[in-house]
Amino acid sequence: MSSVERQVQRNLDYDSRELKERVVEINRVAKVVKGGRRFSFTALVVIGDEVDRVGVGYGKAREVPLAISKAVDDAKKNLFQVPKKGTTITHEVLGRSDAARVLLRPASEGTGVIAGGGVRAVLELAGIRDILAKSLGNPNPVNLLKATVNGLKSLRRPEDGARGRGKAVHEGLFPRKDKQEAAETPPETPSGEAEDHADA
């Protein structure tokens, strides 16, 4: 199968997956005009297929349902794929957006999603089952979600990093293990030296 055929097959698989949506926040905002205040609503929505695609959208309208549908349309435009290793992410990353910062750490299987609010919604709809997340800056929900998306978008797959450094994937994944094994194995003595000691 050629790369083009694989891409077409992948796109068909993506289209067949059902996107689930989760409303993170609905806020009432007011615009002061000559006749008084004009109220409208904003909606912050996360959509994802709970496998590896997720997107965040923001919508504003005079009615709540219309604001949500606008946010969902915006989120569909911003869908992206999240690199994963099993049920967690590939490496630790710090996502930033304005004053908000979100630290994402891989976790062992069975840990669950240790995150709060909108960050949890993004991670669960991205199909991540084990992760540790911590907000380190501004708790503004919009910026928190943008920081989480920024962190997930900056994740790299092991093969990408290995290719950039001209190494095999296993060399990048377990460098400490290899060094530890090398330190534990005693250096081999040449056969000639061993025979000299035996004669003495």
Side-chain angles (χ1 to χ4, degrees):
M1 189 183 284
S2 68
S3 59
V4 177
E5 289 173 340
R6 273 199 299 271
Q7 186 64 44
V8 170
Q9 186 62 44
R10 202 176 296 133
N11 291 342
L12 289 171
D13 292 342
Y14 285 166
D15 294 339
S16 63
R17 288 182 201 160
E18 185 186 349
L19 291 171
K20 297 181 181 176
E21 61 185 67
R22 202 172 294 180
V23 179
V24 175
E25 189 186 48
I26 293 174
N27 195 21
R28 192 180 76 167
V29 294
K31 180 184 179 183
V32 179
V33 293
K34 194 174 180 181
R37 289 179 181 172
R38 188 175 291 164
F39 292 102
S40 57
F41 297 90
T42 64
L44 186 61
V45 173
V46 182
I47 66 168
D49 58 5
E50 294 187 331
V51 179
D52 62 356
R53 283 193 310 161
V54 71
V56 175
Y58 189 73
K60 184 177 176 182
R62 298 293 295 274
E63 302 292 334
V64 174
L66 190 54
I68 292 173
S69 72
K70 278 186 177 182
V72 170
D73 291 341
D74 184 44
K76 283 179 181 174
K77 293 175 190 172
N78 300 321
L79 277 171
F80 67 97
Q81 196 172 359
V82 180
K84 294 195 304 177
K85 181 173 182 260
T87 58
T88 188
I89 56 176
T90 50
H91 58 86
E92 185 178 313
V93 70
L94 182 66
R96 290 185 174 88
S97 176
D98 294 334
R101 291 181 300 147
V102 175
L103 179 66
L104 302 173
R105 274 186 177 161
S108 56
E109 198 169 336
T111 305
V113 179
I114 311 297
V119 178
R120 171 182 282 271
V122 174
L123 298 173
E124 286 180 346
L125 288 176
I128 298 167
R129 297 283 169 264
D130 305 295
I131 193 169
L132 303 168
K134 177 69 179 168
S135 170
L136 303 173
N138 193 317
N140 179 294
V142 178
N143 285 341
L144 264 184
L145 262 63
K146 284 183 179 178
T148 308
V149 167
N150 173 256
L152 293 175
K153 280 184 174 178
S154 58
L155 287 171
R156 299 177 70 193
R157 289 181 173 83
E159 52 267 27
D160 296 338
R163 197 182 305 122
R165 288 177 292 175
K167 294 189 174 185
V169 176
H170 67 88
E171 289 179 286
L173 283 176
F174 310 109
R176 290 181 192 155
K177 191 176 176 184
D178 294 343
K179 284 179 187 172
Q180 190 176 354
E181 286 174 1
E184 285 174 0
T185 54
E188 292 182 10
T189 54
S191 57
E193 288 180 20
E195 286 170 8
D196 292 342
H197 288 304
D199 295 339

